[in-house]
Amino acid sequence: MKKIILLTTVLIAFAGTAHADTIKANVNGLVCSFCATGIEKTLKKQSAVEKVHVDLESKLVTISTKTGQNLEDATVKKLITDAGYSVTNIKREK
Amino acid sequence: MQLTIGKLAGKTGLSADTIRYYEKMGLITPLERSRAGYRLYSPDTARVIRFIKGAKSLNFTLDEIRKLLVLDSSDRATCAEILKTTENKINEAETKIADLREIVEVLQKLIKKCPGDGTSTSECPILDHLHKSFAVVFMLASFLLFTPNQAFAKPISYVGGTMMMQENDETGNTLSIDYTVTPNYAVGLYAKRENGGVEYNTVGPQINTLIKRWNLPEGQGNIFNMTGAGVSEYHDTVNPSAWTGFLGDYETRRIFTSYEARLMYVNNVETSLWQRARVGFAPYKANYDEINTWFMLQADYHPKKDGTFIITPLVRFFYHATLLEAGYSSNDHVMFNWILQF
């Protein structure tokens, strides 16, 4: 019985960490989709990234990470800066 | 007595198709149409056509002839204007003569190398030279087909990104390829067939620097420098050359402005300052996954050309990493540019 409880606890703990993140970055300078393709190409090179969505209207870059993988705020900021833009805010949704 | 197109053709020795083409080009105009809809020309049109034929035999283009006809019929035009057009034509003819003389010299040198006996064609120095010339042209063309341009887009993309650009317009044909090393630097190769006054071909490496960028909530502004050095081929001589240019731009999702000045130095050939400015607007706000359309007006000023501004209205389309532009300049040149990013 103890073994079953232990196994269940481990599985629950695992299920708790094995989620995908949605990272939303507000970006300044996001006015031209031709130039902004650099953001998509740069982020998609990251193994943790599942999907990237750029929205010029809301000036928002939405990154979905792969299940169980994460991308630090500092990494997101550096990658978007390397693509030529400025990050003003980052929000995360589980 | 008015003339039908058939009679006019008979009188001038031209075909009816050619007469219709001259009409389309604005060189002649029919007086009126008959009740049946046929063109009717004034007898004076035959004189105009003889003028056109005479000017064509002196190598004037139809566009130049149209301008001459306007001057001919203007009360205010002076002999000085006709003289200027004719002097330009003389310079053009002299350049062609010089080119032909060079061709004769090259061919004479080749003839001297040829044994002219039973030697196999595989060892023929003339064919060998032509093969080598073709190889050089092929290499240059291949290079040009796989390169980007600094004059109409940002010369730095994203870290690790490569941008190929080609620009064809009244200043010549430019090709370049840039690789962005850091957010502020890109390195690349630049090639241009210059037609902005003195004609020559240039190729060389170039470094692009982002001096300053303003990322704003509703816009982006940049100042770039593009500097390079290489070689320029001018009348079969190879000369060292160097260039530097500054490009400033600001754009929102609806408005675009840019200004570029480029200083070009070709040893023993020319030192020139070329300037370009652009303004544009987008008729609608396209989002990231939509085709973007822009209408733009470009002004070029190249003092070595003829000291006048060349205006080019153009349309720009882009979708994701592909950009195309097409326009037509005030001095009758078609513009066609493209960029690919990957």
Side-chain angles (χ1 to χ4, degrees):
Chain A
M1 186 62 185
K2 273 184 185 173
K3 274 185 183 175
I4 293 168
I5 293 169
L6 185 67
L7 191 62
T8 312
T9 313
V10 169
L11 281 174
I12 290 168
F14 237 89
T17 56
H19 59 262
D21 272 0
T22 300
I23 305 161
K24 292 192 171 187
N26 289 91
V27 178
N28 266 1
L30 205 57
V31 291
C32 159
S33 63
F34 179 72
C35 316
T37 52
I39 294 179
E40 189 181 354
K41 285 174 189 287
T42 306
L43 288 168
K44 277 192 172 168
K45 280 183 193 163
Q46 302 301 307
S47 58
V49 173
E50 175 78 44
K51 216 169 83 179
V52 178
H53 182 258
V54 179
D55 188 71
L56 301 186
E57 200 62 45
S58 54
K59 299 155 196 96
L60 209 60
V61 175
T62 308
I63 307 154
S64 305
T65 58
K66 287 176 185 164
T67 305
Q69 297 196 43
N70 188 27
L71 213 55
E72 296 296 324
D73 281 9
T75 310
V76 171
K77 197 168 178 179
K78 184 186 182 307
L79 292 171
I80 294 177
T81 306
D82 279 356
Y85 296 87
S86 309
V87 177
T88 57
N89 188 36
I90 295 177
K91 277 184 188 169
R92 286 173 182 270
E93 290 170 10
K94 298 286 181 190
Chain B
M1 174 77 181
Q2 293 176 352
L3 302 170
T4 61
I5 197 163
K7 282 185 181 163
L8 186 62
K11 257 179 135 46
T12 57
L14 292 183
S15 69
D17 280 345
T18 308
I19 293 173
R20 276 191 285 267
Y21 180 66
Y22 285 174
E23 188 185 319
K24 192 179 161 197
M25 296 296 289
L27 297 167
I28 55 170
T29 319
L31 212 53
E32 58 178 347
R33 295 260 179 174
S34 70
R35 282 184 188 170
Y38 293 117
R39 293 170 168 84
L40 292 173
Y41 297 92
S42 133
D44 195 45
T45 309
R47 185 193 62 80
V48 175
I49 287 178
R50 278 192 285 274
F51 178 91
I52 296 168
K53 285 172 83 175
K56 263 176 73 73
S57 71
L58 290 170
N59 219 25
F60 282 94
T61 64
L62 290 182
D63 191 44
E64 288 163 342
I65 295 169
R66 185 174 53 232
K67 285 170 188 163
L68 286 174
L69 285 168
V70 171
L71 291 173
D72 187 34
S73 59
S74 165
D75 295 335
R76 284 182 292 175
T78 62
C79 257
E81 289 170 80
I82 309 281
L83 183 70
K84 194 187 168 197
T85 311
T86 311
E87 279 173 348
N88 288 342
K89 214 67 211 167
I90 291 171
N91 291 338
E92 205 177 280
E94 281 174 346
T95 307
K96 278 184 188 163
I97 291 167
D99 289 346
L100 287 170
R101 280 202 183 117
E102 280 182 29
I103 289 171
V104 170
E105 275 175 33
V106 171
L107 292 174
Q108 280 171 340
K109 280 179 196 166
L110 287 175
I111 282 175
K112 281 178 191 166
K113 285 183 191 170
C114 183
D117 53 17
T119 310
S120 161
T121 52
S122 62
E123 290 166 34
C124 173
I126 298 176
L127 291 179
D128 184 51
H129 177 86
L130 294 175
H131 281 303
K132 280 177 185 164
S133 302
F134 175 75
V136 170
V137 170
F138 181 77
M139 276 168 64
L140 187 64
S142 307
F143 173 69
L144 290 184
L145 280 171
F146 294 100
T147 24
N149 170 342
Q150 276 65 56
F152 65 103
K154 296 175 185 17
I156 290 179
S157 51
Y158 56 93
V159 175
T162 303
M163 186 155 61
M164 294 201 305
M165 288 195 265
Q166 200 201 4
E167 181 183 29
N168 309 285
D169 64 18
E170 58 90 26
T171 68
N173 310 90
T174 313
L175 296 121
S176 57
I177 183 158
D178 296 317
Y179 176 78
T180 300
V181 185
T182 75
N184 295 326
Y185 288 99
V187 289
L189 277 171
Y190 172 89
K192 179 158 190 177
R193 191 168 71 86
E194 190 77 42
N195 190 26
V198 183
E199 291 181 11
Y200 54 86
N201 302 319
T202 299
V203 64
Q206 178 170 288
I207 184 159
N208 305 328
T209 311
L210 172 63
I211 297 169
K212 179 77 184 162
R213 169 165 284 165
W214 294 269
N215 277 322
L216 308 169
E218 302 296 335
Q220 190 188 68
N222 301 283
I223 298 175
F224 298 100
N225 171 261
M226 296 82 67
T227 298
V231 287
S232 296
E233 183 207 13
Y234 175 71
H235 284 201
D236 282 344
T237 60
V238 176
N239 305 281
S241 55
W243 56 92
T244 187
F246 287 89
L247 167 68
D249 69 10
Y250 176 75
E251 67 182 299
T252 69
R253 291 179 66 200
R254 295 296 292 269
I255 303 290
F256 177 93
T257 56
S258 73
Y259 170 77
E260 183 184 1
R262 187 168 66 108
L263 187 67
M264 183 82 196
Y265 167 75
V266 184
N267 192 36
N268 294 327
V269 180
E270 75 160 357
T271 302
S272 66
L273 178 71
W274 165 86
Q275 296 176 79
R276 166 172 290 177
R278 269 192 183 195
V279 289
F281 76 95
Y284 58 92
K285 268 188 182 179
N287 214 327
Y288 187 70
D289 288 315
E290 294 170 339
I291 293 176
N292 287 249
T293 306
W294 285 81
F295 294 106
M296 294 182 166
L297 211 56
Q298 174 176 296
D300 283 295
Y301 183 76
H302 196 307
K304 287 287 165 69
K305 188 132 188 170
D306 53 12
T308 56
F309 285 95
I310 307 297
I311 307 294
T312 309
L314 64 115
V315 60
R316 166 186 276 196
F317 299 107
F318 56 85
Y319 177 74
H320 285 190
T322 307
L323 185 148
L324 294 174
E325 285 185 346
Y328 194 78
S329 71
S330 57
N331 62 344
D332 296 333
H333 281 80
V334 172
M335 168 210 268
F336 181 72
N337 305 329
W338 58 260
I339 313 179
L340 294 175
Q341 285 189 117
F342 49 89

